[in-house]
Amino acid sequence: MESSIRFSEQLLQQFRQARHVVVLTGAGVSAESGVPTFRDAQTGLWARFRPEELASPEAFRRDPRLVWEWYAWRRDLVASVSPNPGHLALVELEKRFPVFTLITQNVDGLHQRAGSGARFPVIELHGNLQRTKCFEDGQIVESWDENGELPPRCPRCSGLLRPDVVWFGELLPSEALDAAFAAAGACDLFLSVGTSALVEPAASLPFRALAAQIPVVEINPNPTPLSSLATYVLSGPAGELLPALVQALWPASGDA
Ligand code: BJW
């Protein structure tokens, strides 16, 4: 079906000429799958808490069970939803460019479930909800004794277990971060999709591209600190704009 969304010819030309496209995604890309964004008000059981106050080593030290249960709830939620048309359009983009780098701040694994990463690995800046590690030494743990204790304990050292995600005040995985900054400074086109562009160091990635005179496209229904500096701002939901972009670039490719 033809989309009614129109893009400027200049923007479409930037895509047609690009050899290396970088996309940075945030929680907004999963919103249409039913995963609440990080800075949305929480609902139900978790309405009393702000995510910023749960995603830190201090919060975990203060109340490890609360933080473990929040992540367990989110793991279950993510398992119950599916990738949306925005995720699928990014899979299509990966197929179309000689080099494509998908950098995500999301820990939900929905890009990989959609099929991203087949040609170029998805760079996960903030880890992944599905992995668990020891709070004491950071070693990944695959299995543990399910004796009802929450959080469970590390089978090696009896330390508490935690999700393998990056909390405030923690360092991002250096290999992923280096690869992300290298790609941002060396691509032909940079897209920032569904992120509030508030959390560092990920928020600096589009600015690395801009500093290298690389055009930056922002896709977001709401303005962010990047909006006034981005080369193009496409205001709307990723699940509509990304498939429409694929359709505009490659009309024969179906509804992607
Ligand atoms: C849609 C949509 C639709 C809705 N379609 N869009 C420099 C200056 C100031 C502070 C710092 C700094 N450097 C470091 C810091 C400290 C801190 C930081 O950045 N703080 C700021 C908040 C001020 N950073 C860190 O601590 C980082 N570590 C670090 O830098 O270590 C070295 C260091 C430490 C301390 C001091 C100095 C240096 C680590 C950051 C780790 C972030 N971790 C989290 C949690 C991960 C695990 C989990 O998920 O629980 O990552 S926090 C949270 O924010 C999560 C997200 O990945 C991240 C970004 O959020 P995102 O994705 O942008 O989501 P939202 O909700 O904010 O926005 C959603 C957007 O979608 C909105 O714009 C909507 O409009 C839009 N949207 N529907 C498209 N349908």
Side-chain angles (χ1 to χ4, degrees):
M1 195 176 53
E2 204 183 319
S3 163
S4 58
I5 301 172
R6 295 277 172 264
F7 300 97
S8 77
E9 195 47 40
Q10 197 189 24
L11 172 66
L12 296 177
Q13 263 321 96
Q14 301 272 12
F15 275 95
R16 290 192 187 107
Q17 288 164 1
R19 284 187 49 75
H20 181 182
V21 170
V22 170
V23 181
L24 169 69
T25 64
V29 83
S30 296
E32 289 155 89
S33 291
V35 182
T37 67
F38 210 76
R39 284 163 186 82
D40 270 345
Q42 300 205 94
T43 51
L45 260 185
W46 298 100
R48 285 186 298 126
F49 303 97
R50 291 178 58 218
E52 295 91 321
E53 287 160 7
L54 295 168
S56 74
E58 295 73 34
F60 187 76
R61 278 195 197 93
R62 201 166 46 237
D63 195 341
R65 183 178 181 128
L66 175 80
V67 174
W68 177 270
E69 287 185 330
W70 183 52
Y71 280 96
W73 172 78
R74 287 174 59 195
R75 241 189 324 267
D76 288 350
L77 175 75
V78 164
S80 73
V81 304
S82 302
N84 66 58
H87 294 109
L88 297 175
L90 292 174
V91 178
E92 198 59 35
L93 290 187
E94 180 178 343
K95 292 181 191 158
R96 301 284 179 160
F97 294 97
V99 187
F100 182 82
T101 310
L102 178 56
I103 306 166
T104 189
Q105 299 168 82
N106 298 346
V107 297
D108 58 26
L110 283 171
H111 286 305
Q112 291 89 336
R113 278 174 56 195
S116 284
R119 289 179 65 219
F120 302 100
V122 179
I123 299 178
E124 291 184 320
L125 289 179
H126 293 163
N128 194 302
L129 265 181
Q130 303 302 338
R131 284 190 308 266
T132 299
K133 66 182 183 183
C134 175
F135 186 63
E136 295 304 321
D137 62 13
Q139 295 291 309
I140 297 293
V141 174
E142 306 283 354
S143 60
W144 52 86
D145 190 6
E146 301 272 8
N147 60 7
E149 193 180 0
L150 293 179
R153 291 200 171 260
C154 175
R156 281 189 300 258
C157 73
S158 297
L160 295 176
L161 295 183
R162 56 162 282 183
D164 183 23
V165 298
V166 182
W167 284 332
F168 284 114
E170 295 186 319
L171 294 178
L172 277 67
S174 60
E175 209 177 304
L177 190 59
D178 291 350
F181 272 96
C187 61
D188 303 308
L189 192 55
F190 186 105
L191 270 77
S192 173
V193 184
T195 173
S196 57
L198 290 172
V199 175
E200 296 289 355
S204 292
L205 287 165
F207 294 98
R208 167 63 61 90
L210 287 171
Q213 318 285 319
I214 295 161
V216 169
V217 183
E218 181 180 61
I219 296 184
N220 198 313
N222 300 303
T224 75
L226 174 64
S227 307
S228 61
L229 295 156
T231 322
Y232 303 91
V233 176
L234 305 178
S235 181
E240 291 175 22
L241 287 170
L242 285 170
L245 189 58
V246 169
Q247 178 77 30
L249 288 166
W250 303 286
S253 69
D255 285 336

